[in-house]
Amino acid sequence: MIDGIKWDQALRFRLIEIVALWEGRLTTNHLCTAFRIGRQQASRDINRYQDLFDQAPLELDRSLKGYKPSVAFKPRFSQGTANEYLTLLHQQNEMVETFDFLKLGHAESEVVKVPERSISPIIVRTLIQAAREQRRVDIDYISLSTPQLRGRNLVPHTLVSDGFRWHVRAYCEEKGDYLDFVLSRFRNTPDLLDKSEHGREQDLDWNAYTDIEMIPNPYLTSNQQTIVAEDYGMNDSAMRITSRHALVKYVVNRLNICLDEEKLRAVPEEHQLTVRQLETINQHMIARA
């Protein structure tokens, strides 16, 4: 980070870089909304950011009605990683504020860090623009079920974190259905195409909800079930979680909920959670892409 910059302004510069790099379009409204500042202050921040460098890292694109990264762009107040942008999206959804510049270290703590998945900025930018404008995108994708690189015509509508990795929810023209695609498995430079009739509103599994009634494994002892129930703050040994149909499988996997009766019975200590409506939830566990 450049010396002499106050921490609050550095935070705004950080947002400028993250939005410009990963969305490909920065406006004063981004700063106004995030920091509750006026448009004039936001404009001054963008100009101040530009003046810090010999070559302006942003260029005004009137067709976008905003700024986009120039050839001289290089992150100085951010890390330039996909996880940084995607985490920002998650924090926005959860209404979490970050205090990167406050040294809160009164209690010892440690966070397990795992390698970040490789995701290209141009891929994220194109998917976001396509989702914003409900447009088709021609993009190369590879998967474990189809290990050969293949082009897909998709209509993306939402980025989704399952707690471990990021996906994009999109209509797949080849399959004629809405599916989830892992961001790190897209390849090459995508092509933005025309508008599509297949938007978020037509995704039935996205717009429908179901209740997951989570309970302790009934094959645990009574005392063990009480411990598990208290771990998760259950009432009457149950917890109801509302989820979109499309996201049920991620909730189940993230909480390590076991839906296999034999495993629940054979090793209950390893499978501490299950659900009351096994048959209903199993219907939403089919992975397709």
Side-chain angles (χ1 to χ4, degrees):
M1 190 179 69
I2 298 173
D3 293 334
I5 304 296
K6 294 181 179 180
W7 74 269
D8 58 334
Q9 191 167 53
L11 280 177
R12 297 197 290 273
F13 290 170
R14 179 173 180 261
L15 183 69
I16 286 173
E17 291 186 346
I18 293 173
V19 172
L21 176 61
W22 293 101
E23 293 197 359
R25 176 178 177 267
L26 170 76
T27 68
T28 54
N29 193 51
H30 285 108
L31 295 171
C32 294
T33 302
F35 296 100
R36 297 181 182 178
I37 59 177
R39 195 168 301 278
Q40 289 185 342
Q41 177 63 56
S43 294
R44 286 196 294 270
D45 283 326
I46 294 174
N47 291 333
R48 169 67 172 138
Y49 173 77
Q50 297 273 63
D51 291 341
L52 292 173
F53 308 96
D54 294 333
Q55 289 183 282
L58 304 176
E59 61 182 54
L60 183 62
D61 187 325
R62 299 195 182 281
S63 65
L64 292 176
K65 297 181 180 179
Y67 293 87
K68 66 180 182 181
S70 71
V71 293
F73 179 88
K74 181 179 180 181
R76 297 292 296 275
F77 294 88
S78 60
Q79 300 171 359
T81 65
N83 188 62
E84 190 174 35
Y85 169 70
L86 297 171
T87 298
L88 190 67
L89 286 184
H90 172 70
Q91 290 168 340
Q92 173 181 289
N93 291 337
E94 297 296 321
M95 296 185 69
V96 175
E97 293 189 30
T98 57
F99 297 94
D100 290 349
F101 292 85
L102 297 182
K103 303 301 182 182
L104 302 177
H106 301 296
E108 290 296 328
S109 64
E110 187 72 27
V111 176
V112 175
K113 294 183 179 180
V114 296
E116 294 183 15
R117 295 172 185 263
S118 177
I119 303 173
S120 167
I122 186 61
I123 287 174
V124 175
R125 287 201 296 263
T126 305
L127 290 173
I128 289 173
Q129 183 178 352
R132 185 170 58 233
E133 300 173 2
Q134 197 171 312
R135 293 172 65 178
R136 303 165 61 238
V137 59
D138 184 357
I139 191 167
D140 292 332
Y141 189 74
I142 194 167
S143 67
L144 296 182
S145 60
T146 309
Q148 297 79 26
L149 191 66
R150 295 180 55 202
R152 299 273 192 121
N153 282 355
L154 307 179
V155 187
H157 69 68
T158 306
L159 296 181
V160 178
S161 170
D162 63 8
F164 299 105
R165 60 186 183 182
W166 283 83
H167 306 75
V168 63
R169 182 78 176 170
Y171 179 80
C172 175
E173 294 185 356
E174 177 182 325
K175 298 291 182 67
D177 200 0
Y178 288 88
L179 306 173
D180 299 339
F181 297 87
V182 181
L183 286 186
S184 59
R185 292 180 179 168
F186 289 112
R187 300 290 187 267
N188 304 321
T189 301
D191 293 322
L192 198 59
L193 306 177
D194 55 341
K195 285 187 175 292
S196 170
E197 62 182 9
H198 299 287
R200 183 185 293 108
E201 292 73 19
Q202 288 73 40
D203 188 346
L204 300 182
D205 280 345
W206 183 262
N207 293 300
Y209 292 82
T210 193
D211 286 334
I212 304 170
E213 195 166 4
M214 185 174 72
I215 60 172
N217 184 341
Y219 295 102
L220 291 168
T221 67
S222 177
N223 287 339
Q224 288 174 327
Q225 290 184 50
T226 298
I227 292 171
V228 173
E230 290 176 347
D231 280 347
Y232 290 91
M234 295 181 183
N235 294 318
D236 297 326
S237 295
M239 174 178 284
R240 181 170 295 178
I241 303 170
T242 301
S243 170
R244 296 180 187 275
H245 284 184
L247 304 182
V248 167
K249 57 184 175 292
Y250 300 134
V251 174
V252 169
N253 292 335
R254 180 71 188 274
L255 290 171
N256 197 25
I257 295 173
C258 182
L259 304 177
D260 188 317
E261 186 77 25
E262 291 189 7
K263 290 181 179 178
L264 289 168
R265 182 187 300 109
V267 279
E269 290 83 2
E270 292 184 14
H271 304 287
Q272 300 174 11
L273 296 172
T274 187
V275 295
R276 282 212 171 101
Q277 68 279 44
L278 278 172
E279 185 176 345
T280 300
I281 299 304
N282 267 317
Q283 295 175 359
H284 300 294
M285 295 301 294
I286 302 172
R288 299 168 296 171

